[in-house]
Structure formats: C-alpha cells, structure tokens
C-alpha cells in the first residue's frame, strides 16, 4: 500500500511537470497556440513616424507606420531583434484621389488618406508571444474591435517571410 | 523762414509715416516682399502624425505630414485660422515599388518610401509672414539647404487656392 501510494505520487508529479512544461517546450511547438493583441495600446496616435506605405489591389490602402519610443530607438540604432516593449502601429486608410487637390494643381495627380479602415499592431514580448516569434499581432477595425482569431492566424506565417528583419516589413524612413 | 521749416517738418513726417505703413498697407500689397523660412525648425522628425499623401507624375512623391503641438491641437479642435506658432512639416520621399514586400505577398502591390527628396514647412506667424497669408513657406532639399527664392515664390499663389482652409491642403487623418 505504501509503495502504491509512493508510485502514485511520483506519477502525479511527472504528469504535473510535463503539463507545466509543455506549452513552452521546444519539443512541442505545434501545441503552442498563438496569442493575439486584444487591447489597443493606449496613446498610439501620439507616437513617432516610422514610414508610409501603399498597397494596391483589394487592400487599396494608405498606411502610416508609427512606433513607440522603444521601437523608434531600435530602428534608429539599427538594433535587431527589437527589444521587449517595442510596439509598431500601422494606421490604415483608404487610398483615394483628392478632387480638391487636383483642382488646385490643375491636373489629376493627388492621392490622400480616405476613411480609416483599421489599425494593426506588433507588440514585442519575447516570452508572452514566444510561439509567434516574440511578436503579438493585433488588428482592430475602425469600430475599435479586434478581428476574429481565424484572420489573426494569417499574420505570423506572412511576417515570418522577413525573419532576417525580425518579422518587420517596414523600414525606417529618414 | 519759420513757415518753410514747419512745412519741411510736416512733409518729412508724412513721408516717414507713409514709408513705415507701406509694407503692411492693404493698398500696396504688390510692394510687400514675401519672407521665406530659411532655417529647418528643430525637432520636426519627432512631431505627431497628421496625414499621408501621394503625388503622381513628375513629383512621384510619398509624403508624411507632421505637425508640432500647436498645429496638431488646432487640427483636432478644428480651429481655423491656425494660431501663431503652428508649424506643419511635409516629409517627401520617392514613391517606389517594394520588391521585397511584393515577393512576400506573391504579387506586385506594394509601394514604400524611397530616398528622401525634400522637407517642406509652413510656419504660422501672422505678423512676420503677413504678405503671404500669415504663413512662412520653407523648402529644404535632402542636402538640408533651402531652395532659391524664385522657386519659393510659387508656394503662396498655389496655397491661396485653399484660402477657406487657411492655405493648408492637408486634412487631418483620424
């Protein structure tokens, strides 16, 4: 009876340790569920300018990419990987022609930011977001709500294509 | 002799007053020489984001428009005309396709900021820049040097086309 109790305790400890270790274990990456950014980082509209971008096609987007102090400092110092605490925000708008600017210029040449569509975030926390390269991804439509996890699961595989730049597409505009 | 002296003094005073008043007189706007911004306002790269813009054609530019605290506050409060001290900066880059982004996306759709070309400023000082609607215009090429006055004289006539928005083309992107 004593031996049985001892064995049960040993088994329970082993099960407990394995259960505790599994999510962070390098031997079981396929079990690690990605964690997404579900709250909009406060004050992002006051952050500093990193660069601009435009995507054609279905996206038809005009983006301004901003960074918090930690992100901007890392960019300027060329520091890779980005340190924990770095946050990059991509403010997306519709890419629309400006009738009023074109009228002033006397020709069709001007495109401006139209209605806001969404804001995306990359939040660096190498522990919390370990399953997705240390980055937490967030996408909030103009209603301020995060999008469904099914959509969010597409972020990491695409950003992984620029692994040599710590998953960050945007380069700093001087 | 006394009468002659008195008359001379009166004439001298009238000439002096006219000479003093002329530059600001609404009757002689053609005599008021425009004054341009000849020094880059310090710290503009740290300012907050107002909006983005793209010009096609010869300009082929990608712009990020930033503002100092006074300018951004006026924008957010919808305050027109802009108060003295407001400064708006337009950072211009080449509008270039991104081969590395297109490769990741698997299609040609991505445009980013290329080499910086120039930075333009509008500095509000209703007294100093009275001849040009209270705004001082500045244009600095990527070498940091201001451009020639002949070029600068084209700023005000074009910006005057948006007089109802205090000569400012860019609208605030929320």
């Amino acid at each position: 009876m004593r031996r049985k109790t001892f064995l049960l305790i040993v088994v329970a400890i082993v099960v407990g340790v394995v259960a505790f270790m599994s999510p962070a274990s390098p031997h079981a990456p396929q079990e690690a569920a990605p964690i997404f950014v579900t709250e909009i980082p406060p004050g992002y509209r006051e952050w500093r300018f990193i660069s601009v971008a435009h995507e054609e096609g279905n996206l038809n987007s005009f983006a301004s990419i901003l960074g918090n102090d930690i992100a901007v400092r890392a960019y300027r110092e060329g520091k890779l990987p980005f340190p924990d605490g770095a946050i990059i925000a991509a403010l997306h708008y519709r890419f629309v022609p400006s009738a009023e600017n074109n009228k002033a210029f006397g020709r069709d040449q001007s495109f401006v930011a139209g209605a806001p569509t969404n804001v995306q975030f990359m939040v660096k926390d190498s522990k919390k977001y370990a399953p997705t390269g240390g980055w937490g991804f967030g996408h909030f439509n103009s209603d301020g709500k995060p999008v469904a996890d099914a959509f969010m699961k597409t972020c990491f595989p695409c950003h992984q294509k620029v692994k040599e730049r710590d998953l960050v597409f945007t380069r700093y505009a001087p």
Side-chain angles (χ1 to χ4, degrees), chain A:
Chain A
M1 198 56 163
R2 262 193 177 165
R3 212 175 139 235
K4 212 176 166 188
T5 306
F6 175 76
L7 274 173
L8 273 173
I9 288 166
V10 168
V11 166
I13 287 169
V14 168
V15 167
V17 167
V18 167
F20 180 79
M21 284 180 69
S22 286
S25 163
H27 299 291
Q30 71 279 12
E31 288 175 33
I35 297 166
F36 306 115
V37 177
T38 53
E39 302 275 338
I40 291 177
Y44 74 88
R45 188 60 185 72
E46 316 302 319
W47 292 350
R48 275 176 286 172
F49 170 65
I50 295 170
S51 195
V52 282
H54 164 53
E55 304 302 329
E56 283 182 341
N58 287 340
L59 285 169
N60 190 42
S61 65
F62 218 159
S64 176
I65 296 94
L66 309 180
N68 70 355
D69 285 348
I70 297 172
V72 168
R73 200 177 311 128
Y75 261 118
R76 290 178 181 173
E77 293 172 359
K79 200 180 272 175
L80 283 179
F82 283 85
D84 279 8
I87 312 182
I88 299 166
L91 289 66
H92 289 110
Y93 304 89
R94 292 238 169 276
F95 183 81
V96 298
S98 169
E100 58 191 13
N101 288 5
N102 290 338
K103 199 183 151 197
F105 290 137
R107 56 180 177 272
D108 291 352
Q109 65 166 55
S110 189
F111 293 83
V112 295
T117 51
N118 67 72
V119 186
Q120 296 180 334
F121 295 95
M122 286 178 73
V123 178
K124 193 66 181 275
D125 184 330
S126 50
K127 275 177 198 152
K128 182 174 180 184
Y129 303 118
T132 48
W135 287 105
F137 295 90
H139 177 116
F140 301 84
N141 286 330
S142 54
D143 61 6
K145 287 178 189 151
V147 298
D149 283 6
F151 177 92
M152 293 309 299
K153 279 177 184 161
T154 65
C155 300
F156 177 59
C158 189
H159 279 263
Q160 245 187 330
K161 292 173 185 173
V162 283
K163 220 168 181 173
E164 70 283 6
R165 283 188 278 150
D166 193 24
L167 315 192
V168 175
F169 281 103
T170 303
R171 293 180 182 276
Y172 184 81

